[in-house]
Amino acid sequence: NAGVTQTPKFQVLKTGQSMTLQCAQDMNHEYMSWYRQDPGMGLRLIHYSVGAGITDQGEVPNGYNVSRSTTEDFPLRLLSAAPSQTSVYFCASWENRDPYEQYFGPGTRLTVT
Amino acid sequence: AQSVSQHNHHVILSEAASLELGCNYSYGGTVNLFWYVQYPGQHLQLLLKYFSGDPLVKGIKGFEAEFIKSKFSFNLRKPSVQWSDTAEYFCAVRGSSASKIIFGSGTRLSIRP
């Protein structure tokens, strides 16, 4: 199993550009989440999904869109990048039953200039 | 709504010192609690978790945590730290009826050899 994969690993955008961060998992997990990690602020939940076709907002959803057309994929779209979105983005997947462990991808480091 | 507070932002210890990292959560019902660790340049990985039963939970690498319901706390402990414990530690909470896991702001642990 590859686990949770994310692409790209690094990305630089100009203000106003849009892009999609890709996330895929091969563990057949129903639940997937997107977090952003910023120094001193920990991981903040952007959006999450409890299954194909079902998504919901987390703590900091503004400026981001998600969709979940398949169990495997959960892309995160930045509609119009802003410098405040400079961050490291992590995707995670998990099953809502024991052991409830979230499996994290390697992250995407995004810089918006 | 769920929330998590980690009051220690950066802890510096010498090798063999004892460790205790604080975590307090806010949620009105039954919770599941987690500690994750992120070693430099690596993914987040699960250290330990609490669901029910014995409030003293043992995890990997000699870590343990105690759930104190009356204090809404889930502090992480280790009797004797090693240089290899240098990492960032995150506490997380999931309300038992919730579909999302919320993280605290993290505590950076630096160990002096």
Side-chain angles (χ1 to χ4, degrees):
Chain A
N1 284 355
V4 180
T5 58
Q6 291 182 240
T7 56
K9 284 189 166 44
F10 302 94
Q11 183 70 50
V12 179
L13 290 178
K14 292 190 188 321
T15 298
Q17 287 184 315
S18 62
M19 80 159 294
T20 299
L21 307 185
Q22 301 292 346
C23 174
Q25 54 96 3
D26 61 1
M27 296 171 282
N28 204 32
H29 287 164
E30 289 291 328
Y31 288 61
M32 296 185 75
S33 305
W34 274 104
Y35 295 89
R36 57 178 290 174
Q37 184 178 19
D38 302 290
M41 306 197 73
L43 280 84
R44 291 181 292 169
L45 182 65
I46 305 171
H47 286 284
Y48 64 101
S49 170
V50 301
I54 309 170
T55 64
D56 205 348
Q57 295 181 350
E59 302 169 279
V60 289
N62 292 344
Y64 307 95
N65 270 0
V66 292
S67 60
R68 185 97 179 270
S69 55
T70 67
T71 299
E72 294 77 21
D73 300 300
F74 190 43
L76 178 73
R77 278 181 286 278
L78 280 70
L79 309 172
S80 176
S84 60
Q85 293 179 304
T86 294
S87 187
V88 181
Y89 291 85
F90 288 99
C91 179
S93 74
W94 54 295
E95 278 295 346
N96 197 24
R97 59 172 185 267
D98 198 21
Y100 294 93
E101 178 176 353
Q102 285 203 98
Y103 295 85
F104 285 84
T108 294
R109 186 174 292 275
L110 175 69
T111 302
V112 183
T113 60
Chain B
Q2 313 153 211
S3 67
V4 182
S5 296
Q6 292 182 246
H7 306 295
N8 314 108
H9 296 297
H10 188 193
V11 172
I12 304 172
L13 296 172
S14 298
E15 275 196 309
S18 64
L19 169 71
E20 181 159 4
L21 302 182
C23 171
N24 288 91
Y25 69 91
S26 172
Y27 186 74
T30 304
V31 293
N32 307 137
L33 295 158
F34 308 83
W35 275 98
Y36 280 81
V37 60
Q38 186 179 32
Y39 297 104
Q42 295 190 25
H43 302 191
L44 279 85
Q45 54 185 281
L46 183 67
L47 264 183
L48 48 78
K49 62 182 186 283
Y50 170 80
F51 282 80
S52 62
D54 189 345
L56 186 61
V57 178
K58 294 194 185 301
I60 61 172
K61 306 189 180 191
F63 286 91
E64 64 179 33
E66 185 175 13
F67 171 52
I68 303 180
K69 189 174 180 180
S70 60
K71 295 185 178 179
F72 296 90
S73 69
F74 189 56
N75 292 354
L76 181 71
R77 301 195 292 248
K78 186 170 184 180
S80 176
V81 295
Q82 303 170 316
W83 181 80
S84 58
D85 293 325
T86 295
E88 191 151 18
Y89 293 81
F90 295 94
C91 184
V93 64
R94 171 187 165 272
S96 61
S97 60
S99 308
K100 55 189 180 182
I101 297 176
I102 300 297
F103 284 76
S105 55
T107 297
R108 186 157 64 99
L109 176 64
S110 300
I111 305 297
R112 292 189 288 252

